[in-house]
Amino acid sequence: MAYVTVIDEQNSAASGSAGNSLPNSAGALFQLLRDGTPRTRSDLTAMTGFARSTISARVEELLDSSLIRPAGENSSTGGRPPSTFSFNPDARAVLAVDLGGTHARIAVTDLAARVLAEKEQELDITRGPVAVLDAVGAIAMELLQEAGRGPEDLLGVGVGVPGPVEFATGRPMSPPIMPGWDHFDIPGHLRQWFPGPIMVDNDVNAMALGEHAVTYPGVANMMFVKVATGIGSGIISDGRLQHGAQGAAGDLGHIATPDGDTTQCTCGNSGCLEAVASGPAIAAQLRERGFDVPHHGAMLELVRSGDLEALRTVRQAGRQVGLVLAGCVNLLNPSVIVIGGVVSTAGEHFLAGIREAVYSRSLPLATQHLRIVATQTKARAGVLGASTLVTGHGLSIENVNRLVG
């Protein structure tokens, strides 16, 4: 797997004091090696302008911490070939947790977001935080054993949950589809198994990080839209994940649809996008028309069978999503919109509805180079993003300096 590009979204107050981010520190030098390219001491001296003695000292510190490792020798132009060094993604592990409305995907990854062990199972978020997180803890301990790791090997734990999160505390804030989770201390509960840093974010923010890091590392402005039990989006602007003032940025599902629909939403309002275009909403519309679709899984089977009414309903749901996204395109001007979540697996009819509405209702300049595409990371977007969330923080200059100190 290619080494991922990491978005460091921790501010300086969260990451540590300014004294830990010296420009000639081991942490600063480490950032140059994170792309996995082997480099010699001479390469690093030329790149940084540091004294050769400083480079040698910092390289030794990073070797002692196992964050870098010898990578062989470069070809010589005369004399002894120079040694090269590169990032060691096996130095630590990350526990990545993606919680959805009805499922959990849990993975142990290395520091380059390569999955070492993984499990997905049905897990209803409405069971409440204690039951769900206890199940996560038990599964995670099994996966760590499978990967040959222990809790002490973790750089940290990343968790995505299907609701708004106060990012500074890791607590869900009035999440519509998570009864019993409001203000629950997720990091505090998980700390009984995992003593290191525990970072919690909205699940779609994590998916945006994962898709960006693995598939679109060179894209500065993009959105990831998840359409499943709920609807949400993660926004990356100027290369950084945007949380907003209280962590509520990207809550696309509770924007009212432009057509004045009055369907009641779980948030208490009516006509929200989630109430008319999510998986359960599409299934409900088909039930009203006489189809036997008890849940959105059955709706997807109907779509895949080629039923014309199901295809029309899914395409119309795509248009509803697209009408809301058109406003986002005019406001944010992303160059890529990635569509994920289980409803996106309905195929091109859903995407076609989205594209139809976005391209017809957005400004021509905003859509001139816009791509609207299906996710490439598929079901793994959440765990890859949760892993990236941890490494973005844990491998920052300040925290690497702490690790080698």
Side-chain angles (χ1 to χ4, degrees):
M1 176 178 175
Y3 290 95
V4 300
T5 298
V6 175
I7 302 172
D8 179 6
E9 70 222 20
Q10 301 303 308
N11 58 37
S12 58
S15 304
S17 65
N20 284 333
S21 57
L22 295 173
N24 62 352
S25 66
L29 188 68
F30 174 72
Q31 306 308 312
L32 300 178
L33 292 163
R34 286 192 64 184
D35 62 3
T37 301
R39 293 185 172 92
T40 66
R41 290 181 177 87
S42 295
D43 293 333
L44 295 169
T45 300
M47 293 172 72
T48 62
F50 299 168
R52 187 172 178 84
S53 59
T54 300
I55 292 292
S56 294
R58 300 297 179 249
V59 165
E60 290 305 314
E61 290 173 353
L62 291 170
L63 285 169
D64 289 343
S65 72
S66 300
L67 287 173
I68 67 171
R69 60 189 173 192
E73 297 177 336
N74 261 2
S75 57
S76 175
T77 57
R80 182 178 177 181
S83 299
T84 64
F85 308 93
S86 64
F87 175 38
N88 177 18
D90 298 320
R92 301 283 193 281
V94 175
L95 177 63
V97 180
D98 174 27
L99 295 178
T102 58
H103 82 283
R105 182 180 289 265
I106 303 163
V108 177
T109 78
D110 66 11
L111 297 182
R114 183 172 58 234
V115 174
L116 307 176
E118 181 180 29
K119 183 174 183 179
E120 181 178 15
Q121 74 171 50
E122 292 185 3
L123 189 60
D124 192 336
I125 202 75
T126 63
R127 289 175 56 189
V130 173
V132 169
L133 295 176
D134 284 353
V136 166
I139 294 168
M141 294 301 290
E142 294 173 3
L143 290 174
L144 283 169
Q145 185 175 15
E146 180 182 332
R149 303 283 189 148
E152 69 281 359
D153 297 317
L154 293 175
L155 182 70
V157 178
V159 182
V161 298
V165 173
E166 185 179 60
F167 187 65
T169 65
R171 295 173 183 252
M173 304 298 286
S174 303
I177 66 169
M178 299 172 65
W181 288 78
D182 188 29
H183 286 85
F184 187 82
D185 185 6
I186 295 175
H189 192 82
L190 289 176
R191 212 158 270 127
Q192 62 185 295
W193 295 283
F194 314 110
I198 298 171
M199 307 183 71
V200 184
D201 206 342
N202 173 266
D203 61 341
V204 193
N205 283 342
M207 291 175 178
L209 282 177
E211 192 80 29
H212 183 272
V214 173
T215 312
Y216 301 102
V219 173
N221 299 282
M222 66 169 276
M223 293 180 67
F224 187 101
V225 179
K226 176 188 176 185
V227 186
T229 304
I231 299 177
S233 70
I235 301 167
I236 291 173
S237 180
D238 198 21
R240 295 177 63 86
L241 180 65
Q242 302 300 313
H243 286 103
Q246 272 75 46
D251 199 350
L252 196 71
H254 298 286
I255 296 176
T257 54
D259 62 2
D261 191 290
T262 59
T263 305
Q264 196 69 23
C265 182
T266 55
C267 73
N269 290 320
S270 60
C272 294
L273 181 63
E274 188 171 293
V276 301
S278 65
I282 299 170
Q285 291 163 25
L286 288 170
R287 284 196 298 274
E288 290 174 0
R289 294 165 194 168
F291 289 89
D292 181 20
V293 282
H295 46 71
H296 58 266
M299 175 271 293
L300 290 171
E301 291 175 10
L302 196 61
V303 169
R304 290 167 189 152
S305 72
D307 183 272
L308 291 178
E309 186 63 27
L311 292 173
R312 278 194 291 266
T313 304
V314 163
R315 186 162 185 142
Q316 177 58 24
R319 291 189 189 101
Q320 296 277 38
V321 174
L323 288 172
V324 171
L325 279 177
C328 299
V329 168
N330 288 334
L331 184 66
L332 301 172
N333 191 200
S335 55
V336 178
I337 297 176
V338 180
I339 309 297
V342 66
V343 177
S344 72
T345 65
E348 280 299 312
H349 287 275
F350 185 67
L351 279 174
I354 294 175
R355 292 178 182 130
E356 177 186 330
V358 169
Y359 289 123
S360 66
R361 295 295 295 269
S362 300
L363 294 172
L365 182 61
T367 58
Q368 185 176 7
H369 301 293
L370 174 65
R371 289 178 288 162
I372 301 174
V373 296
T375 173
Q376 297 298 303
T377 55
K378 302 188 186 299
R380 274 187 169 174
V383 291
L384 294 176
S387 177
T388 302
L389 187 67
V390 171
T391 55
H393 170 69
L395 297 180
S396 65
I397 293 175
E398 295 85 351
N399 284 319
V400 168
N401 288 339
R402 290 193 186 100
L403 288 172
V404 303

